[in-house]
Amino acid sequence: MAVSERRGLARGSPAEWGKRLLLLLLLGGCSGRIHRLTLTGEKRADIQLNSFGFYTNGSLEVDLSLLRLGLQETDEKAPLVGFSLTRVRSGSVPSYSSRDPHDCPLRKNSSNLLAVFLINTKDLQVQVRKYGEQKKLFISPGLLPEAPSEPELPKSEHRVNPKVDGGTTTAPDKAKLKPTGSQADQQSIAGKDQDLVLGLGHLNNSYNFSFHVVIGSRAEEGQYNLNFHNCYNSVPGQEQPFDITVMIREKNPEGFLSAAEIPLFKLYMVMSACFLASGVFWVSILCKNTYNVFKIHWLMAALAFTKSVSLLFHSINYYFINSQGHPIEGLAVMHYITHLLKGALLFITIALIGSGWAFIKYILSDKEKKVFGIVISLQVLANVAYIVIESREEGTSDYGVWKEILFLVDLICCGAILFPVVWSIRHLQDTSGTDGKVAVNLAKLKLFRHYYVMVICYIYFTRIIAILLRVAVPFQWQWLYQLLVEGSTLAFFVLTGYKFQPTRNNPYLQLPQEDEEDVQMKQV
C-alpha cells in the first residue's frame, strides 16, 4: 500500500469521494519541485521517482530519511537495493515492463545509465558507481546548504574532482551528512568507472543517507531520471514489503522549474491574453448582431473567457513553483476549478454545435442526450484523474494508473463529440433534395463537413502530433508541446467562431420559422 502526503481517492460512497476530492483541492498540487514521498508496504521492484531537465549549474538533492527493508538472508554478495540516475535521450521512452525479471538495473551498464547508488546494509555504506566519462557530473555526500540565491557549482571542498593519475580524495567534513559511518573515500579514474563511498546511517532497523548532484557543464545537460530499485522483489512471488521516505529537490539556475517548463510561465500568460482578446472580440460581434445571436454563441464566449482564466492561473502557478518550489494552495484550487469548467465547456460546446442545438432546434434527440450524458460523466472522471495526478508524487503506485485513465477518458470524449456532427451530416445528406431547399441544405452540408474536418484536425494535433513532438524534440524544447496544444486550440476557437458567427448570410442560420416549428414538433 502506498501512502503519500497527498492521499488519493479510494473506494467509498459518492459523498466520501466528494470529500476526498475537496480535500485534494484544498491541499493543492504536490510540492512543486520539492518532492516528499512516503511509501509503506511497497513491493514494486522499480519505482520511477522523478524526471527533470537540468541546465548547467542545476542541482539534484536526495535525502533518504527512512528505508526499512524486510529482506531475508541471501547469498548475494553485491547489493541489490539502491538508486539509479539515467539521462533520457530524445525519442526514447524508458520502461521496465519488458525487462528480464532476473536482470537488475543496478548491475547492468546501459547506454543511458550515468550512476548507481548501491545500498550495502551489511557494511553500512553506499557505493556510488559512475559510468562513462562524466567529468563534470559532480556527486557529493549530504545536501547543499540552504541559500536564497541560485544554485552554483559546489565549492572546492564539495567537488569530486577526477584525477588522471588515479589518486584518491577524501570527502570533506563540512558536508552535512546525516548518516554515521566510515568517512567517504572517493576514487576517481579518468575514462573508467568511478567509485565513491558514502556513509549509511542505521537507526531503529531503518537506514538513511543523503547526496546531491550538480551539473557542471553543457555536456552534462539533459533530461535526468531518478529511480529506486529493490531487485530482491524482481522475482514474482518472492516480493518482500519495504518502507521508504525520501525527499527530492531539483533546481536550475533560474529556479525550481525543469528546463522544458521555464518558458511556460510566459507562454501561458501570452496565450491567456490571446484567448481573452478573442473572447472580447467575439462579444463585440454578438453585440453588433443581436438579431441572429443564440444561446450557443454566449456559451462560446464563456468558453473563451474560462480558457483565458484557466491559463492565467496556470501561469501564476508556474511562477510560484519556479520561485518557491511549490504552488500557492489558493491559486492551485482556482486553477483546478477553472480547468474543470474549461474541459466541460469545451466538449459540450463542440457537441452542441455539431448537433445544431439553438441554431436549428431547441430539443435534443434521445441519442444526443445520451452522448451528452456520457461526455459530461467522462469529463468529471477526467478532471478527477487530473487533480489526482497533480496532487500525487510520481513514485506512488497508482500514479501511472490515473495517467492511463486520464489519457483513455480524453480519447473517448474526443470520439464521442464526433457522433452529433456525423448524425447532422447524415441527416442533411438524406434531406438535401427532398424538402425544396436544396441550395440551403447543400450549404449547411458543406459547413458541417468543414466543421467535422476541423474537429478531426484539432484532435489530431492536440492528442497525437503534440505527443510525438514532445518525444522527438530535445529536452529543452519540449515546451513546444504546450505551444502546439494551445496554438491549435486557439486556431480551432477562431475558425469555429468564423464559421458559425451570427450573420444573416450564414447558411447554418437560414431556417424559416415554420421549419423550426416542424423540427420541434418532430422532436417532441
Side-chain angles (χ1 to χ4, degrees), residues 5-20:
E5 291 185 351
R6 305 292 192 259
R7 296 182 182 273
L9 300 177
R11 296 181 180 178
S13 63
E16 293 175 348
W17 274 67
K19 291 179 181 178
R20 289 165 181 164

Side-chain angles (χ1 to χ4, degrees), residues 318-394:
Y318 271 108
Y319 173 80
F320 284 105
I321 290 175
N322 188 51
S323 60
Q324 302 180 10
H326 57 83
I328 303 299
E329 294 182 356
L331 294 175
V333 172
M334 295 303 301
H335 166 60
Y336 292 148
I337 294 175
T338 53
H339 180 82
L340 188 151
L341 294 176
K342 179 264 300 181
L345 281 176
L346 174 62
F347 286 98
I348 290 175
T349 303
I350 294 175
L352 285 175
I353 294 175
S355 64
W357 179 81
F359 287 110
I360 59 176
K361 61 183 179 182
Y362 294 93
I363 301 177
L364 299 175
S365 63
D366 291 338
K367 59 182 180 181
E368 289 172 339
K369 291 179 180 178
K370 292 179 180 179
V371 170
F372 280 98
I374 293 174
V375 169
I376 293 174
S377 301
L378 290 177
Q379 274 301 298
V380 173
L381 179 58
N383 282 277
V384 170
Y386 176 79
I387 294 173
V388 171
I389 291 173
E390 290 292 308
S391 305
R392 309 212 74 183
E393 295 293 349
E394 190 173 351

Side-chain angles (χ1 to χ4, degrees), residues 248-267:
I248 303 171
R249 180 164 51 228
E250 309 137 329
K251 198 171 184 181
N252 270 314
E254 298 184 10
F256 286 94
L257 288 179
S258 177
E261 296 172 333
I262 293 176
L264 293 185
F265 164 70
K266 296 179 180 178
L267 171 63

Side-chain angles (χ1 to χ4, degrees), residues 507-518:
Y508 198 27
L509 309 178
Q510 296 176 3
L511 187 69
Q513 181 67 27
E514 59 271 15
D515 286 352
E516 180 180 325
E517 296 176 355
D518 293 342

Side-chain angles (χ1 to χ4, degrees), residues 21-37:
L21 180 58
L22 179 61
L23 178 62
L24 286 175
L25 285 172
L26 293 176
L27 289 173
C30 66
S31 300
R33 300 310 176 264
I34 302 177
H35 310 273
R36 295 177 178 87
L37 177 66

Side-chain angles (χ1 to χ4, degrees), residues 8 84 97 111 142 145-146 161 184 202 221 227 267 304 308 315 377 386 388 415 430 452 465 510 513:
S84 68
S97 57
S111 58
E146 295 291 340
N161 295 317
H202 186 206
E221 294 179 347
N227 306 310
L267 171 63
S308 175
S315 175
S377 301
Y386 176 79
V388 171
D430 295 339
Y452 177 79
I465 297 296
Q510 296 176 3
Q513 181 67 27

